[in-house]
Amino acid sequence: MAAAARPSLSEAPVAPPARGRDLFLPLALLGVLGALVRAIWFTPVELMQGPAQKIFYVHVPAATVGLYVGLPIVAVCSAMYLWLRDERLDRVAESAAEVSLVFLTAVLVTGPLWGKPVWGTWWTWDARLTLTLFLWFVVLGYLIMRGALEDRGQRARFSAVLGLLAVLLVPFIHLSVNLFRTLHPKAIVLKPSAPSLPPEMLSTLGIAFAATVVLFFALLRARVRYAADRELLSRRLEGEG
Amino acid sequence: MTAPAASPPLAVPGVLATAWLVARKDLLIEFRTRSAFLAAVVFALIAVVIFRFSSDPTAVAPIDLAPGVLWVIFVFSGLLGLHRSFGVEHADRAMDGLLAAPVSREALFLGKALANLAFVAAVQIVAIPAVALFYDLPVGGGVLLGILLVAALAAVGLVAVGTLFSAMTGNTRLAELLLPMLALPFFVPVVTPAAMATARLLAGRPMAEMAGLLRMLGAFDVIFVVACTLAFPFTLED
């Protein structure tokens, strides 16, 4: 019998669907641990910045994945939700926003930790720092608004509208923060000339990058499953199922 | 049954005429109660005074403080009015009456935004002279006109975004907190160039130096008025 098949929402069972042991997340965490071990003990220390530079292997992948993978997923799912009205899209948008908030928080914590020894200051109102901070505020507002809305359909629609308006906001924040000068290091890998990193550092960055991407999707998958279970439960409590 | 001959034919007005009717309704309520307007003006005046005492007057020149004070006051007093915009419609479920009327949702939004614009402009008309007075600003010549132009450009963008978020947060549990939390990050690209342009105007810089900042404000206005008008119907369904 196909007892393992996931039931659809319309025929919701009493208990959340049973799933096999999820190995994706533990494996992703192991990968991140491996990347950190390699970065800390098996990659040369940078000459000018010293050990502080190690933070680069966490900061750069987290920033890239949060800003260029997580937030675009929120935006695309928001647009598609308004078009298709599929609740799964809303759940993916919610989950991607929450996981991105975690990644952006990691960026905003590791940045000052590196900035104090290297720049001599925890924070500076630099273009990139300010842009990241404001996106963090927008994502936080998005999640708090979701928490304040009771009606499922209304929450999904308002969130999608906010997700889309945020896309329009990004170029304007970019323009306004560029009215200030920047201290932030420029791109050193993705630039027209060859990457200006020694090979060991470049390979460590590559490994850290891959581990971070896998971690993002593992967390996203776990969070989407959680959202689906929670919704199933609330439907049952409302007596709809 | 036929309608009395004297009554005009029942015609649904166009988008702008409808927007005007909605705006007039809101302004009439505000004019008769004056609750939000007086609160916003008093708030603005108190804020002008408090900001003056927040820094050492011998260390920070008033003219350096004024642009920031002016824009912080605009934003926060504007939020007072924006919060009320849809707040009044949720009492007695007045919103349902508006939605039942045979008018387009876009016209409804534009009407609400128009009333909010009038509200913000009225507060600014009191706040700008107050800041000029208390901070002893050189507002002679074209400076005052320049500040009014910047204020008008900024107000349109602030009001478009604020009206939409007021509609979205109006009937939530955390409305008073949620509206500023959602709206303030969107106000950054308005307040930054507006405060910079104000500072340059007060420093007597030529108008040409502000062209880029004014273009940025104008672009924000066009994009967010269109986007928020189109997005508004999505916040209303069912």
Side-chain angles (χ1 to χ4, degrees):
Chain A
M1 292 298 286
R6 287 191 63 187
S8 73
L9 278 177
S10 54
E11 47 190 52
V14 180
R19 301 187 182 105
R21 187 171 287 277
D22 190 359
L23 284 177
F24 195 17
L25 192 54
L27 285 176
L29 288 172
L30 270 181
V32 170
L33 195 67
L36 286 179
V37 167
R38 183 184 157 98
I40 294 172
W41 285 287
F42 300 96
T43 305
V45 174
E46 208 264 349
L47 181 64
M48 305 298 289
Q49 302 174 24
Q53 183 266 341
K54 303 277 188 190
I55 249 172
F56 162 88
Y57 302 113
V58 173
H59 182 82
V60 174
T64 313
V65 173
L67 292 172
Y68 301 112
V69 179
L71 298 186
I73 291 178
V74 180
V76 170
C77 288
S78 296
M80 284 175 63
Y81 176 81
L82 288 181
W83 180 31
L84 300 171
R85 299 304 164 108
D86 188 329
E87 288 191 355
R88 281 173 298 179
L89 288 166
D90 180 53
R91 291 202 290 267
V92 175
E94 174 193 76
S95 307
E98 205 171 291
V99 179
S100 300
L101 184 72
V102 173
F103 277 60
L104 291 185
T105 306
V107 172
L108 289 174
V109 170
T110 52
L113 287 179
W114 173 87
K116 188 61 183 173
V118 176
W119 282 345
T121 176
W122 296 109
W123 184 265
T124 164
W125 291 100
D126 152 275
R128 282 207 213 184
L129 276 65
T130 314
L131 178 64
T132 309
L133 181 66
F134 278 110
L135 288 175
W136 188 81
F137 280 134
V138 171
V139 177
L140 198 59
Y142 173 94
L143 289 170
I144 291 174
M145 184 189 75
R146 292 192 68 100
L149 292 165
E150 312 264 336
D151 181 78
R152 202 177 291 130
Q154 198 180 45
R155 179 172 59 223
R157 277 182 285 113
F158 285 15
S159 307
V161 165
L162 184 59
L164 280 180
L165 283 183
V167 175
L168 295 178
L169 180 69
V170 171
F172 280 102
I173 297 190
H174 186 76
L175 276 175
S176 49
V177 298
N178 275 321
L179 295 172
F180 310 116
R181 63 207 165 77
T182 182
L183 257 185
H184 194 283
K186 295 285 178 282
I188 55 165
V189 178
L190 289 178
K191 58 177 196 175
S193 55
S196 43
L197 268 185
E200 302 98 323
M201 288 188 180
L202 191 62
S203 62
T204 303
L205 181 66
I207 291 166
F209 221 103
T212 309
V213 170
V214 173
L215 178 68
F216 177 86
F217 284 103
L219 286 172
L220 181 65
R221 178 162 166 268
R223 183 61 180 77
V224 171
R225 285 184 163 190
Y226 164 74
D229 287 352
R230 194 187 52 185
E231 196 163 311
L232 215 58
L233 190 64
S234 76
R235 276 179 198 272
R236 289 215 59 83
L237 289 175
E238 289 163 20
E240 283 178 31
Chain B
M1 288 290 286
T2 52
S7 75
L10 188 67
V12 177
V15 171
L16 288 180
T18 312
W20 168 240
L21 287 175
V22 174
R24 206 182 62 174
K25 170 194 82 68
D26 277 12
L27 291 174
L28 202 61
I29 294 175
E30 187 50 49
F31 185 72
R32 288 185 179 156
T33 60
R34 288 191 199 88
S35 51
F37 179 67
L38 278 182
V41 165
V42 172
F43 167 80
L45 292 178
I46 292 174
V48 169
V49 175
I50 285 180
F51 272 113
R52 193 65 198 93
F53 292 111
S54 67
S55 63
D56 181 356
T58 58
V60 185
I63 196 168
D64 294 329
L65 204 56
V69 171
L70 199 60
W71 285 98
V72 169
I73 290 172
F74 281 176
V75 164
F76 285 99
S77 59
L79 283 171
L80 289 178
L82 290 166
H83 172 56
R84 211 182 124 75
S85 174
F86 280 87
V88 293
E89 304 295 353
H90 289 293
D92 304 327
R93 301 184 64 88
M95 196 67 202
D96 293 352
L98 270 183
L99 293 179
V103 298
S104 76
R105 306 282 162 91
E106 288 83 358
L108 204 57
F109 176 80
L110 288 175
K112 281 285 182 190
L114 210 57
N116 288 334
L117 192 61
F119 180 92
V120 169
V123 176
Q124 287 179 346
I125 282 173
V126 179
I128 293 174
V131 173
L133 174 74
F134 287 120
Y135 288 73
D136 192 21
L137 300 181
V139 287
V143 174
L144 191 61
L145 273 179
I147 292 179
L148 287 177
L149 173 68
V150 172
L153 277 174
V156 172
L158 294 184
V159 161
V161 174
T163 305
L164 182 72
F165 287 162
S166 168
M168 282 164 54
T169 57
N171 59 349
T172 59
R173 289 179 281 127
L174 300 170
E176 307 83 0
L177 290 172
L178 207 51
L179 175 62
M181 203 157 42
L182 293 183
L184 287 177
F186 281 79
F187 289 174
V188 170
V190 177
V191 170
T192 311
M196 277 188 163
T198 309
R200 289 185 196 179
L201 278 164
L202 290 174
R205 310 298 305 172
M207 210 56 186
E209 269 187 26
M210 282 148 248
L213 298 172
L214 295 182
R215 266 204 301 274
M216 199 173 140
L217 287 173
F220 187 95
D221 289 352
V222 171
I223 287 177
F224 278 91
V225 167
V226 172
C228 293
T229 309
L230 294 178
F232 180 69
F234 286 108
T235 67
L236 289 176
E237 281 163 44
D238 61 51

